[in-house]
Amino acid sequence: MVQGSYAIRRATVDDAATLSVLAARTFTETFGHLYPPRHLQAFIDESYAVDRQQVILAHPDYAVWLLEHEGVAIGHAAAGPCGLPHADVQPGDGELKRLYLIKAEQSCGWGSRLLETALAWLERDGPRPLWLGVWSENFGAQRFYARYGFQKVGEYLFPVGETNDLEFILRRPLVAAADPSTTA
């Protein structure tokens, strides 16, 4: 999808280094203030290492999209099989793994476009239950996902160093997506 000087494209293994840097930047911009610097760095080093991004990008069950502005990556979304710790997760359920934009590009509508791209890919073979995890205190993201039919169905702890963040597990049931333009 290209609009003006913005474009969304599916990432390839060749984008692993770009994704690594972007994922570290967006996670730090969003959540970096919550953690001691050494815990944050250890999490980033493990979770967003280039070799880990290569594995994800090469795996046929996962997909990552980059949002680019004038050729520079400014956001990303990742999707794949659901790995959230909830008793109702079934084989074949999909999960939005990540959705981040750099701060300067948030609230411009591109997060919605990235999400819609990931949801369409997750449901390319037909509707199925979709899941995601969101920080319990990220109220804006919770409202955003609710517009797409996601509802809280559980909780779990997400470790970053010695900090355990309370995450909400959201699920969109096996129904057509809500039209976000018709909900508040």
Side-chain angles (χ1 to χ4, degrees), residues 54-117:
Q54 289 170 330
V55 168
I56 292 167
L57 291 167
H59 198 289
D61 294 337
Y62 291 82
V64 177
W65 297 268
L66 294 174
L67 170 62
E68 296 175 327
H69 181 243
E70 298 179 356
V72 176
I74 59 169
H76 69 288
C82 186
L84 291 169
H86 192 280
D88 293 341
V89 171
Q90 298 294 313
D93 289 359
E95 179 185 348
L96 177 70
K97 306 283 188 178
R98 296 188 299 217
L99 176 63
Y100 290 100
L101 281 77
I102 63 170
K103 275 198 184 278
E105 297 291 339
Q106 293 175 2
S107 300
C108 297
W110 284 101
S112 295
R113 290 182 180 103
L114 271 173
L115 176 61
E116 290 161 7
T117 299

Side-chain angles (χ1 to χ4, degrees), residues 7-167:
I8 294 174
R9 68 173 177 84
R10 178 116 177 235
T12 70
V13 173
D14 293 339
D15 294 309
T18 297
L19 182 58
S20 174
V21 170
L22 179 62
R25 175 182 176 182
T26 55
F27 185 86
T28 301
E29 283 182 354
T30 306
F31 301 115
H33 65 284
L34 299 173
Y35 312 110
R38 67 184 176 85
H39 295 168
L40 174 64
Q41 192 60 53
F43 175 82
I44 287 170
D45 291 347
E46 178 183 342
S47 299
Y48 302 131
V50 172
D51 60 340
R52 188 164 185 170
Q53 303 315 302
Q54 289 170 330
V55 168
I56 292 167
L57 291 167
H59 198 289
D61 294 337
Y62 291 82
V64 177
W65 297 268
L66 294 174
L67 170 62
E68 296 175 327
H69 181 243
E70 298 179 356
V72 176
I74 59 169
H76 69 288
C82 186
L84 291 169
H86 192 280
D88 293 341
V89 171
Q90 298 294 313
D93 289 359
E95 179 185 348
L96 177 70
K97 306 283 188 178
R98 296 188 299 217
L99 176 63
Y100 290 100
L101 281 77
I102 63 170
K103 275 198 184 278
E105 297 291 339
Q106 293 175 2
S107 300
C108 297
W110 284 101
S112 295
R113 290 182 180 103
L114 271 173
L115 176 61
E116 290 161 7
T117 299
L119 295 179
W121 181 84
L122 283 165
E123 293 188 318
R124 66 197 179 282
D125 296 325
R128 62 180 172 158
L130 301 179
W131 301 77
L132 61 88
V134 62
W135 183 41
S136 61
E137 295 184 39
N138 191 341
F139 305 115
Q142 292 169 41
R143 287 188 301 272
F144 173 71
Y145 294 129
R147 291 194 301 264
Y148 286 87
F150 286 89
Q151 301 170 348
K152 181 183 173 200
V153 294
E155 301 175 348
Y156 72 106
L157 295 178
F158 182 83
V160 177
E162 295 174 8
T163 302
N164 285 311
D165 290 329
L166 178 61
E167 297 279 319

